[in-house]
Amino acid sequence: MEERGPAELRMRRHAERFVRQVTARNRLPLDYSVNSLRVVDFIVDGLRKGGSDRTAVQQVLFGIGAYTGEVLVRRAGARWVELDAGQRELFGQPFGVRMPDGRVWNPLGKVVKRFEVGERESVRTFYLQLHGRVPQAAVGGGRRSG
């Protein structure tokens, strides 16, 4: 088995801390399932409706993004990676996930977009549209997504 890199360990810890903090106060089903990404959308929408400005909730958004990325790691075969200078400039984030097909995606930024734009930037839909994710169950025909 491959040894985990610093980005993976750091982001997994952020995700776990976020889950502990949120579930200590609320009974939210944050179980790293694909369906739990609906809860992520719900949480971000609550922050938006609360009238918070992005700076005030930056740490919470980072935790939500870490959780989202960790769902991709656990359910879609992704790996956390530290982004290079060009990717950091493009994504505005220090970490991303590399999918099995080699593409790099930005779950941290996706959560920020959900906060800034709203419903049309669904985190759950983001997962469902990813190319190169590992199917959870073998389904005949190998349908392509998005």
Side-chain angles (χ1 to χ4, degrees), residues 70-87:
E70 193 61 23
V71 171
L72 299 176
V73 168
R74 295 181 185 199
R75 301 290 177 219
R79 290 186 55 99
W80 282 108
V81 294
E82 193 163 343
L83 300 176
D84 64 32
Q87 292 166 325

Side-chain angles (χ1 to χ4, degrees), residues 83-100:
L83 300 176
D84 64 32
Q87 292 166 325
R88 283 177 187 239
E89 185 175 332
L90 175 66
F91 291 143
Q93 300 293 335
F95 302 101
V97 294
R98 184 174 309 281
M99 297 301 291

Side-chain angles (χ1 to χ4, degrees), residues 117-138:
V117 176
E119 285 183 26
R120 72 175 182 221
E121 292 294 337
S122 169
V123 174
R124 183 170 183 275
T125 301
F126 168 69
Y127 174 89
L128 296 173
Q129 293 175 339
L130 291 176
H131 297 281
R133 69 179 191 272
V134 175
Q136 287 189 348

